[in-house]
């Protein structure tokens, strides 16, 4: 079993085998395991996000310099039980260290049928990237104005708060 698979099981202890094993642990051991698992799980999901963004950036063609960073803005997630999550679509892909202006602007709102947004995400979003962003939002919930920065040269994923 890979470490990420173990971390996944421990982060969602709904399987009877995992639940039974966790019940047998001493409280102090269980607390230490939870802390270690959450930090390992978050780092694993961050690396999935970096890998998927790097793959997307590598597919971009043209005369533009290679991407240095990608940015994700927030999105309301009522269907998954999250209040605010990370949008599965890259808001900006930059070729330098400058952070683009990603502030929310006033726009005309168009009503989208309930299932249409989820369908668009399912068809157009990278499923692995979407899963990683959803998990990061659960582990460290973003605020409405936050931006997630994926810095490719350093493989760092950072939440920027205005």
């Amino acid at each position: 079993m890979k470490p990420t698979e173990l971390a996944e099981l421990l982060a969602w202890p709904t399987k009877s085998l995992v639940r039974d094993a966790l019940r047998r642990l001493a409280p102090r051991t269980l607390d230490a395991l939870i802390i270690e698992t959450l930090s390992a799980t978050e780092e694993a999901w961050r690396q999935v996000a970096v890998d998927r963004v790097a793959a997307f950036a590598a597919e971009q063609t043209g005369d533009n310099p290679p991407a240095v960073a990608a940015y994700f803005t927030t999105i309301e997630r009522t269907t998954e039980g999250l209040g605010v999550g990370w949008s599965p679509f890259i808001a900006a892909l930059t070729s330098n260290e400058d952070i683009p202006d990603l502030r929310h602007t006033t726009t005309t709102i168009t009503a989208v049928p309930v299932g249409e947004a989820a369908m668009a995400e399912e068809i157009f979003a990278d499923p692995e990237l979407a899963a990683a962003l959803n998990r990061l939002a659960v582990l460290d919930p973003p605020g409405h104005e936050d931006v997630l920065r994926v810095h490719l040269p350093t493989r760092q994923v950072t939440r920027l708060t205005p």
Side-chain angles (χ1 to χ4, degrees), residues 98-128:
D98 296 334
I99 298 173
D101 183 4
L102 296 172
R103 290 177 292 181
H104 294 286
T105 57
T106 303
T107 59
T108 304
I109 296 174
T110 304
V112 177
V114 174
E116 196 171 304
M119 187 174 70
E121 184 176 318
E122 188 176 309
I123 293 170
F124 299 110
D126 178 330
E128 289 180 59

Side-chain angles (χ1 to χ4, degrees), residues 36-122:
E36 184 63 31
T37 300
L38 287 177
S39 64
T41 301
E42 185 171 356
E43 185 55 34
W45 286 114
R46 287 175 185 269
Q47 292 313 307
V48 169
V50 171
D51 291 344
R52 298 312 304 154
V53 168
F56 175 80
E59 292 173 0
Q60 302 309 302
T61 58
D63 297 330
N64 298 330
V68 170
Y71 297 86
F72 295 88
T73 55
T74 57
I75 188 170
E76 287 287 335
R77 295 249 183 230
T78 55
T79 56
E80 285 122 16
L82 297 173
V84 177
W86 297 113
S87 171
F89 302 104
I90 295 174
L93 194 62
T94 62
S95 58
N96 57 39
E97 298 288 337
D98 296 334
I99 298 173
D101 183 4
L102 296 172
R103 290 177 292 181
H104 294 286
T105 57
T106 303
T107 59
T108 304
I109 296 174
T110 304
V112 177
V114 174
E116 196 171 304
M119 187 174 70
E121 184 176 318
E122 188 176 309

Side-chain angles (χ1 to χ4, degrees), residues 2-13 37 41 45 135:
K2 295 179 183 177
T4 54
E5 292 171 335
L6 177 59
E8 174 79 15
L9 285 173
L10 293 174
W12 295 96
T37 300
T41 301
W45 286 114
R135 274 323 207 31

